[in-house]
Amino acid sequence: MDIPRIFNIMESGHRIHNPFTPEKLATLGAALHLESGTRVLDLGSGSGEMLCTWARDYGVIGTGVDMSQLFTEQAILRAEELCVDHQVRFIHDDAAGYVSDEKVDVAACLGASWIAGGVAGTIELLARSLRTGGIILIGEPYWRQLPPTEDIAKGCLATAISDFLVLPELVASFGRLGYDVVEMVLANQDDWDRYEAAKWLTIRRWLEANPGDELAPEVQSRLTSEPQRHAAYTREYLGWGVFALMPRIFLKQA
């Protein structure tokens, strides 16, 4: 069980597998007023940077689940590097359908809502692990500006314009699912650059070391096309953010 090898290659040098910086992760943790002992579940935890740095900085404890064997191994090493391996654990497994044995204070899925068929299904899955009064974190793309054509949407690696919403509509959609948005931290274009552009040097170095690999032609094709694609499409049209949600309180009518 693993993610496609091309993604392991392209993001092998990443600590954060989304257009988010360490500073944005810290901002999110501070905004949530995390306290020592806060229990966190992270589905699609990647290389574990969120759990590891929050364990170091805020004293959280928790579990990360990810399908990539490489990223899970990197997460375990990161926990050891930051001396928080007694606070967090990482499981190499399919996060789809994963429910924590013990209810958590924060249930997160940042950039992997495909694990439950989209945003609504992922929120429903996370809610199964959440204690009463807990917070769900969902990381999701949105349109910074609506693409004028379907071809431009595909240039952003969407299958169609309808794949994503503009920000106000995305925020409103959480309400329709019965949740209040209680915080959000959004990526900017520089954050997208750090996520996307960081892949290019990684894959160039990989090509130098692995010119005869069966994936080398595909990797070279990515290196040739991705900088222009990102500059023309993703950077201009696609946003990304983490949204903190709590189940809506339905007040009794007087």
Side-chain angles (χ1 to χ4, degrees):
M1 176 177 52
D2 210 333
I3 64 174
R5 184 167 171 242
I6 185 68
F7 297 114
N8 276 328
I9 293 170
M10 293 177 67
E11 299 194 19
S12 60
H14 283 54
R15 282 184 173 169
I16 302 172
H17 302 276
N18 292 302
F20 234 37
T21 61
E23 293 77 17
K24 290 286 175 71
L25 280 180
T27 295
L28 179 62
L32 296 176
H33 306 289
L34 295 173
E35 298 178 351
S36 180
T38 297
R39 190 172 297 276
V40 182
L41 173 67
D42 187 8
L43 299 185
S45 51
S47 296
E49 191 71 1
M50 184 178 79
L51 274 178
C52 289
T53 55
W54 283 4
R56 177 195 64 193
D57 298 339
Y58 305 111
V60 308
I61 56 177
T63 300
V65 184
D66 199 272
M67 188 182 288
S68 169
Q69 183 171 345
L70 172 64
F71 298 164
T72 303
E73 292 170 353
Q74 290 177 337
I76 293 169
L77 290 174
R78 183 65 166 153
E80 294 172 352
E81 177 187 5
L82 298 184
C83 300
V84 296
D85 48 308
H86 62 293
Q87 295 169 245
V88 295
R89 65 178 182 133
F90 294 97
I91 301 170
H92 174 226
D93 200 357
D94 187 352
Y98 186 92
V99 177
S100 177
D101 292 334
E102 184 176 352
K103 296 293 185 181
V104 300
D105 303 294
V106 178
C109 180
L110 308 189
S113 61
W114 48 266
I115 65 171
V119 172
T122 300
I123 290 174
E124 183 179 358
L125 172 61
L126 293 171
R128 294 168 61 189
S129 297
L130 195 67
R131 70 164 178 83
T132 301
I135 291 176
I136 286 175
L137 298 179
I138 190 86
E140 191 68 12
Y142 59 88
W143 295 121
R144 294 182 64 244
Q145 53 178 317
L146 205 62
T149 68
E150 294 290 351
D151 284 343
I152 290 177
K154 291 175 182 177
C156 298
L157 304 184
T159 61
I161 294 173
S162 59
D163 282 2
F164 308 126
L165 302 172
V166 295
L167 181 58
E169 292 177 359
L170 177 59
V171 170
S173 74
F174 298 131
R176 291 192 292 272
L177 293 172
Y179 287 84
D180 292 318
V181 178
V182 297
E183 255 297 353
M184 68 180 188
V185 179
L186 306 181
N188 58 32
Q189 288 177 304
D190 290 342
D191 299 335
W192 270 111
D193 292 344
R194 298 284 30 87
Y195 173 55
E196 292 291 347
K199 301 174 187 177
W200 308 335
L201 182 59
T202 296
I203 60 180
R204 174 53 191 260
R205 296 301 190 210
W206 183 90
L207 282 167
E208 292 172 353
N210 301 275
D213 191 280
E214 62 180 3
L215 276 184
E218 181 180 352
V219 173
Q220 178 61 68
S221 177
R222 299 271 185 142
L223 181 56
T224 300
S225 63
E226 282 297 291
Q228 182 178 357
R229 185 200 64 76
H230 169 64
Y233 299 113
T234 304
R235 195 176 198 277
E236 295 303 313
Y237 289 93
L238 201 59
W240 196 86
V242 179
F243 304 87
L245 314 176
M246 295 182 73
R248 183 160 289 169
I249 297 172
F250 294 96
L251 303 177
K252 293 181 179 180
Q253 297 296 322

